[in-house]
Each structure stands twice: as structure tokens, then as C-alpha cells.
Amino acid sequence: MNRLQRIRSFLSGIVMLLGGVALIFFEDKSLTLITLIIGISLLVMGLNALFYYFTMARYMVGGKAALVSALFMLDFGAFTIAMYDASRLVTLMYLTGLYAFTGLVSILRAIEIRRYKGPWKLRLAQGVGSAVIAAACIFSRGDGALLVLLYSAGLIYSAILRIIAAFRKTELVFVQ
């Protein structure tokens, strides 16, 4: 990670931390705001993936998979924004799916990094934390205040891990 990436990671961690705390304090409107945040995030990720496809991935092997995932994220983002004032069940399903998927991917990635003798503990902690939040979402029974608290806790947890990653030394691999 170069210096600019470290600064960007640190600042995004601070913004996420402040956003998580703000969601706790403004609990009455937070559930619809969480749904909008997830929808807008999916739209932005879809647009970034679409830009990646048109600039690089269409010339690569497996580039069509990048296009399909970009369109998939765009569709889910538009659907989420269209359903922002829907019931708590939609928000519960999105939060559970989001945290379960990111937790599973982080745990599997940590296992892979450990196999190659790399720094894996922080990635494993992130995956376990996301899996615990996903399990708590399942047992929340659609309680709006608890969903807001769980999303805020996940946001604060991710922010702290992002700030830690900004200050962590990057290991360099030299190939001769």
C-alpha cells in the first residue's frame, strides 16, 4: 500500500466510524437510510465493475464474468433503492446476506493466505466478526432498533479494521 492509499484507507475508516456512530444516534430514520446506503453502494460498485469491464476486462480471459457481476450488482442496487421504504424483512435479508457473504469470503481468503504463510489473522478476525453479525441478524427477528445497532456495529468494526490496515506494515515480495 502506498502513502496515498494509506491516507485514503484511514480517511474512509474515519468516515465509516462517524457514520456508524451517527446511525446509532439517529435511530428513527436509520433503517431506511441503511437500505439506501446499501443500494447506493451496490450501484457504485456495479458502475465501477462496469467501468473495469469496458476498460480492461473485455480483453481478458473470463471478462464476461466481470460484465455479468457488474450487471448483477447494478440490478440489486436499483432493486434495493426501489424497495427502500419496504418492510424490515428486506433490510434484514440484505444485512444477513451481506455479512454472511463477506464473512465467508474473508474466512476463506484468510485460510488461503495462511497456506502461503502470509499475514492472515486480521483477515480471519474480519471474517469471524462478519459471520457473528450475520448470525445476530438472523436471530434479531426483524427488530428495527436491533438491526440499526447491528449495522452500526458492523460499520464501526469495519472502520476500525480499515484504520488498522492503514497503519500496518506492508510486506514486500522480491522476485529475482
Side-chain angles (χ1 to χ4, degrees), residues 45 94-108 127 130-131 134:
M45 287 177 5
Y94 271 103
L95 286 179
T96 305
L98 177 77
Y99 283 120
F101 181 73
T102 57
L104 179 67
V105 168
S106 292
I107 289 171
L108 291 176
S130 294

Side-chain angles (χ1 to χ4, degrees), residues 115-171:
R115 228 180 276 151
Y116 293 115
K117 309 271 192 275
W120 57 275
K121 292 177 185 173
L122 189 63
R123 177 81 60 155
L124 182 67
Q126 183 179 8
V128 169
S130 294
V132 166
I133 291 173
C137 283
I138 291 172
F139 295 116
S140 72
R141 297 188 197 131
D143 182 23
L146 187 58
L147 287 177
V148 169
L149 187 62
L150 288 172
Y151 183 76
S152 299
L155 201 61
I156 291 169
Y157 182 70
S158 295
I160 290 170
L161 289 177
R162 187 170 289 212
I163 292 170
I164 289 170
F167 289 110
R168 190 176 56 184
K169 283 186 177 181
T170 305
E171 293 185 18

